């Protein structure tokens, strides 16, 4: 019988809930089809945490319960995610999990948390477009793609890109047939009412304001705040 493999989603206060539940739904479906995969949600403590919506959530396990997951996924968000860059308990967990995790993955600005844990140095990576130019602060090469795989690290762009990344990961873990079955099961066939995104028309001023606010709200006068703000202004 195959050894059970654990996929762990990380929670921290204030994260973007779709960054969690989008890929969590995909990989929970994988677990339903392939019982040799177990999907859990981990946090420092088993307590109710706020998100960036009115919804509050609670992890199924603590960091100590799942010290070495086979896959770890880190969500992103706004100011609270930038605050998490200084959370040594969270960063220590990721550093400890990384040697076993294949991959260590992120959604949106969760990539910055991987970076703060030292996991992006020398690698290509992506994140939310408003924070893409911050990635070089962590030794990463920013790439504007839906998801980026570089060795044992897998990063996804903003929010909804986490679903695409999770389907890609499902294919890597269990093959195309299983991944396609999951896609049908969750009926993932995007047809947004305004069509696809034309990046030439991206609201760059809005992105700049959002990035600056996230850094300010999350890091305050921490030295990292100044460095990230400078990179965002200079384009990396």
């Amino acid at each position: 019988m195959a050894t059970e493999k654990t996929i762990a989603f990380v929670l921290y206060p204030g994260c973007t809930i779709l960054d969690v539940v989008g890929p969590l739904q995909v990989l929970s479906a994988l677990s339903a089809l392939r019982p040799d995969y177990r999907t859990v949600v981990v946090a420092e403590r088993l307590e109710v945490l706020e998100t960036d919506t009115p919804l509050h959530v609670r992890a199924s396990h603590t960091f100590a319960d799942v010290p070495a997951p086979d896959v770890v996924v880190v969500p992103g968000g706004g100011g609270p995610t930038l605050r998490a860059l200084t959370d040594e308990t969270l960063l220590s967990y990721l550093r400890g999990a990384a040697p076993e995790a294949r991959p260590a993955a992120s959604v949106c600005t969760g990539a910055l948390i991987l970076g703060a844990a030292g996991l992006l140095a020398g690698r290509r990576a992506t994140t939310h477009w408003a924070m893409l130019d911050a990635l070089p602060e962590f030794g990463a090469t920013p790439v504007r793609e839906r998801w980026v795989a570089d060795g044992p690290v897998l990063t996804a762009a903003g929010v909804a890109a986490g679903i695409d990344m999770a389907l890609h990961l499902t294919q890597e873990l269990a093959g195309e047939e299983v991944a396609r079955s999951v896609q049908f099961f969750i009926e993932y066939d995007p047809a947004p009412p305004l069509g696809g995104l034309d990046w030439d028309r991206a609201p760059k001023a809005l992105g700049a304001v959002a990035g600056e606010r996230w850094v300010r709200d999350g890091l305050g006068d921490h030295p990292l705040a100044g460095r990230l703000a400078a990179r965002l202004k200079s384009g990396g």
Side-chain angles (χ1 to χ4, degrees):
M1 184 174 179
T3 302
E4 185 180 63
K5 296 182 178 180
T6 299
I7 303 168
F9 282 77
V10 173
L11 279 185
Y12 56 87
C15 65
T16 291
I17 192 60
L18 185 57
D19 286 4
V20 181
V21 298
L24 177 61
Q25 192 71 58
V26 171
L27 292 164
S28 293
L30 165 64
S31 298
L33 292 172
R34 288 279 302 269
D36 50 324
Y37 286 97
R38 176 180 71 135
T39 303
V40 300
V41 180
V42 299
E44 182 179 357
R45 292 180 293 274
L46 296 184
E47 60 185 27
V48 175
L49 299 175
E50 62 183 7
T51 69
D52 66 348
T53 74
L55 181 67
H56 288 60
V57 294
R58 188 177 78 95
S60 60
H61 296 75
T62 66
F63 292 158
D65 292 333
V66 189
D70 297 277
V71 175
V72 63
V73 183
V74 182
T81 298
L82 277 292
R83 192 173 306 122
L85 302 186
T86 64
D87 182 344
E88 280 303 322
T89 300
L90 171 57
L91 300 182
S92 294
Y93 175 71
L94 293 174
R95 293 185 191 111
E100 301 297 327
R102 293 292 185 275
S106 65
V107 182
C108 192
T109 52
L112 305 183
I113 297 179
L114 293 185
L119 305 183
L120 295 187
R123 300 192 182 281
R124 300 165 68 250
T126 193
T127 187
H128 189 283
W129 62 276
M131 295 299 294
L132 195 65
D133 291 329
L135 286 174
E137 176 66 26
F138 306 102
T141 299
V143 180
R144 188 183 290 282
E145 293 180 6
R146 194 72 170 161
W147 75 86
V148 176
D150 191 334
V153 177
L154 176 62
T155 54
V159 194
I163 298 174
D164 293 6
M165 179 273 286
L167 285 168
H168 164 75
L169 179 56
T170 298
Q171 182 177 358
E172 292 293 301
L173 295 174
E176 182 177 342
E177 183 177 352
V178 171
R180 194 170 297 281
S181 294
V182 170
Q183 185 175 351
F184 271 108
F185 185 71
I186 66 172
E187 206 164 329
Y188 183 60
D189 188 18
L194 299 179
L197 295 179
D198 178 356
W199 286 103
D200 289 335
R201 299 177 62 188
K204 295 180 175 61
L206 176 62
V209 169
E212 290 173 8
R213 185 179 70 245
W214 295 343
V215 171
R216 182 181 65 250
D217 292 350
L219 290 168
D221 60 359
H222 190 282
L224 182 57
R227 298 201 300 271
L228 291 181
R231 286 190 179 275
L232 293 176
K233 288 179 180 178
S234 67

